[in-house]
Amino acid sequence: MTALFGLDLRGRRVVVAGGGSVAARRVRRFVTEGALVTVVAPDIDEDLERHALHGDVTLVRRGVEAADLDEAWFVLAATDDKALNDTVAGWAEDRRVWCIDASDASRGTARQAAMSRHGEVSIGVLSTGAPDPGRIRKVRDQIAARLDAGEMDMRRERAGAGRVILVGSGPGDPGLITVRGRQALAEADVVVTDRLGATELLVTVPYDVEVVNVGKSPTHHPVPQHEINAILVDRALAGKTVVRLKGGDPYVFGRGGEEVHACVEAGVDVEVVPGVTSALSVPALAGIPVTQRGVATSLLVTTGHAGADPAARAAMAAGATVVILMGVSALPDIVQAALSAGCDPSLPVAIVENGTTSRERVTRGTLEDISRIASETGVKPPAIIVVGDVATPGLLASAVAATPEPKGD
C-alpha cells in the first residue's frame, strides 16, 4: 500500500498535469510507490526527462486535455496556471477520480501528506485547516526523529505471523548502528544478542522484551549455532518479531547465512539489515585507511582460522592490506607463516582491541616483532589485526601531503 495517501497505487495509472519543479518533486514519490505515471505538459523539467529516460514515467508533450484523465486512478494538477489546475480538478471530480490541486488544496479531493517510512510503519502528517506545508513537514520530522532513534515502542499489537530480523549492529559504538537496525530493535518482541556489537542499546528496549544472550568468546561457546537457529525459528513460529542482534555485519564472518537458511527452511519470514563491519570501521576510526591512495590499492579480509593461508601470505607480499578478524590467538602462526613465505619482516602491523569503544587500544609493531609485543602488552580479543604499509604510524598525514591529486575521476 502506498505511503502517500493510504491508497494502493502500484501498477495503477496516475496522471500529472504540469511538467515543472513542483510536478517533478511529487512524481518522485509516485514512482517510488510503483504507480504508472503519465506527465502531460508542453514543457518538461529535466528531472522528469531523466525519469522518462529510465522508463519510470510517460511524457506527453502538450497541454492537458480532459480525456487525459480517462482510466486514471489519481490526478495531480500541478501546472503553473492556477485556473488550469482548478479546471483539471473539476475534470477529475466529474470522473470521480481523487485529485490534488497543487495551487489550492481546498479545491482538490485529496491532500498530500508529509511522509516518512520506518520499517513496517509509515507516518503521514496532513493539515486539516489552511494548507501549511512547512508546518506539517516540521511535525513529521520531529515524529520521525523519535521513531528512528528508537524512542517509541513500535511492536505489533495484533497477532500475526512471526518474523526474524538479522541486524548488524556495527563494531560496538551504539551510534554506528544503522537507522533501520535501530528501528528493528523498537519492533522486537524478542532480542537474541551476541556478546559483541552495540549491546549497549539493549538498555533501551522495554522490560517485557525477552532478551536471549547467545554470545560467544574464543574459549567459551555456551550456545552452539544449531541451538541459536532453533531459538530464532521457535520464537518466530510463536508469532514473535525476533531481532537477531549481531556484531558488525551479519554476512561478514557472522554466520548470518546459516541463520537465514534455518529461517527459510522453516518457512519463517526473514529480513537482513546490513551493519558496519568491524573489518573496515575499526581501522578507520583508529586512523588506519585500509586502501590509502598511493599506499595500498587492494584489500584482503580474512580470519585467524585462515590468516596463515597462501592467499593471505601472497597479499602481504604483494603490498595489499590484510585485515584479520578473530586472529589474536593465531597471531604467532600467522606471523611465522608469512615470514617463512618471504614476506618483509619490517612490514607494519597494527592491532586494535575493543575498537570504537572507550576501552580501545592500538598496539603497533612489525611482522617480525608484533607477536612478542602483543604478548608483552597482553593483547586480548576482540581485536582487529591490520598488516600492511597502511599500518605505518603517522602514515595518514604524510601520505595525504605527499600524494598529488589525480586527474579526472
Side-chain angles (χ1 to χ4, degrees), residues 164-170 177 181-182 184-185 190-203 205 211-215 232 242-248 250 259:
V164 172
I165 311 175
L166 267 65
V167 175
S169 69
I177 192 171
R182 195 66 187 83
L185 271 180
V190 181
V191 179
V192 180
T193 181
D194 278 347
R195 183 175 66 93
L196 304 177
T199 54
E200 182 181 331
L201 291 170
L202 293 174
V203 302
V205 302
V211 177
V212 182
N213 192 332
V214 296
L232 299 177
V242 185
V243 167
R244 175 69 171 103
L245 190 66
K246 304 175 72 67
E259 295 170 359

Side-chain angles (χ1 to χ4, degrees), residues 289-300:
V290 293
T291 57
Q292 174 66 29
R293 181 162 51 90
V295 180
T297 57
S298 57
L299 168 68
L300 173 69

Side-chain angles (χ1 to χ4, degrees), residues 114-118 121-125 136-152 154 179 182-183:
M115 303 297 309
S116 63
R117 285 185 172 180
H118 312 269
V121 174
S122 295
I123 62 168
V125 180
I136 64 173
R137 286 195 297 267
K138 181 171 62 177
V139 173
R140 174 205 59 192
D141 291 345
Q142 292 177 85
I143 297 172
R146 291 198 64 200
L147 288 170
D148 289 342
E151 296 174 359
M152 300 178 71
M154 295 176 66
V179 170
R182 195 66 187 83
Q183 292 169 353

Side-chain angles (χ1 to χ4, degrees), residues 2-7 9 22 25-30 33 74-76 99-102 105 109-118 122-128 131-141 143:
T2 177
L4 265 174
F5 317 101
L7 303 176
L9 296 177
V22 172
R25 185 171 61 250
R26 300 198 181 188
V27 160
R28 293 191 199 107
R29 182 61 63 82
F30 287 118
E33 299 298 342
F74 202 95
V75 175
L76 169 64
C99 176
I100 291 178
D101 186 334
T109 52
R111 294 189 181 189
Q112 182 164 342
M115 303 297 309
S116 63
R117 285 185 172 180
H118 312 269
S122 295
I123 62 168
V125 180
L126 287 167
S127 174
T128 57
D132 190 344
R135 183 189 189 193
I136 64 173
R137 286 195 297 267
K138 181 171 62 177
V139 173
R140 174 205 59 192
D141 291 345
I143 297 172

Side-chain angles (χ1 to χ4, degrees), residues 40-338:
V40 185
D43 299 308
I44 303 295
D45 183 269
E46 289 183 4
D47 193 39
L48 292 172
E49 295 275 13
R50 285 190 287 272
H51 277 300
L53 287 173
H54 293 297
D56 297 331
V57 303
T58 299
L59 302 182
V60 180
R61 301 174 187 275
R62 58 166 171 75
V64 65
E65 301 171 359
D68 291 323
L69 277 61
D70 293 345
E71 307 301 325
W73 288 71
F74 202 95
V75 175
L76 169 64
T79 74
D80 57 5
D81 183 335
K82 182 179 183 300
L84 179 55
N85 287 341
D86 293 347
T87 297
V88 172
W91 293 338
E93 177 83 18
D94 293 341
R95 289 164 174 74
R96 297 186 177 182
V97 177
W98 296 109
C99 176
I100 291 178
D101 186 334
S103 298
D104 184 351
S106 65
R107 290 184 174 272
T109 52
R111 294 189 181 189
Q112 182 164 342
M115 303 297 309
S116 63
R117 285 185 172 180
H118 312 269
E120 289 188 323
V121 174
S122 295
I123 62 168
V125 180
L126 287 167
S127 174
T128 57
D132 190 344
R135 183 189 189 193
I136 64 173
R137 286 195 297 267
K138 181 171 62 177
V139 173
R140 174 205 59 192
D141 291 345
Q142 292 177 85
I143 297 172
R146 291 198 64 200
L147 288 170
D148 289 342
E151 296 174 359
M152 300 178 71
D153 190 339
M154 295 176 66
R155 287 176 291 173
R156 294 172 174 174
E157 293 294 330
R158 181 173 295 181
R163 58 187 176 135
V164 172
I165 311 175
L166 267 65
V167 175
S169 69
D173 182 341
L176 295 178
I177 192 171
T178 64
V179 170
R180 177 63 193 125
R182 195 66 187 83
Q183 292 169 353
L185 271 180
E187 299 170 14
D189 301 306
V190 181
V191 179
V192 180
T193 181
D194 278 347
R195 183 175 66 93
L196 304 177
T199 54
E200 182 181 331
L201 291 170
L202 293 174
V203 302
T204 68
V205 302
Y207 288 124
D208 56 340
V209 171
E210 180 186 8
V211 177
V212 182
N213 192 332
V214 296
K216 304 179 180 71
S217 65
T219 59
H220 186 50
H221 292 220
V223 186
Q225 187 62 48
H226 72 274
E227 289 188 21
I228 296 174
N229 297 347
I231 291 169
L232 299 177
V233 170
D234 175 72
R235 301 301 196 277
L237 290 178
K240 305 293 186 180
T241 293
V242 185
V243 167
R244 175 69 171 103
L245 190 66
K246 304 175 72 67
D249 181 275
Y251 284 173
V252 180
F253 302 116
R255 306 189 77 167
E258 298 171 48
E259 295 170 359
V260 167
H261 177 74
C263 292
V264 171
E265 194 172 53
V268 171
D269 182 46
V270 59
E271 174 188 352
V272 177
V273 180
V276 176
T277 175
S278 58
L280 306 182
S281 59
V282 166
L285 292 173
I288 303 171
V290 293
T291 57
Q292 174 66 29
R293 181 162 51 90
V295 180
T297 57
S298 57
L299 168 68
L300 173 69
V301 179
T302 186
T303 71
H305 309 298
D309 70 9
R313 297 197 300 268
M316 293 178 196
T321 301
V322 176
V323 176
I324 305 168
L325 284 67
M326 300 173 283
V328 172
S329 60
L331 182 59
D333 294 335
I334 295 170
V335 167
Q336 186 56 50

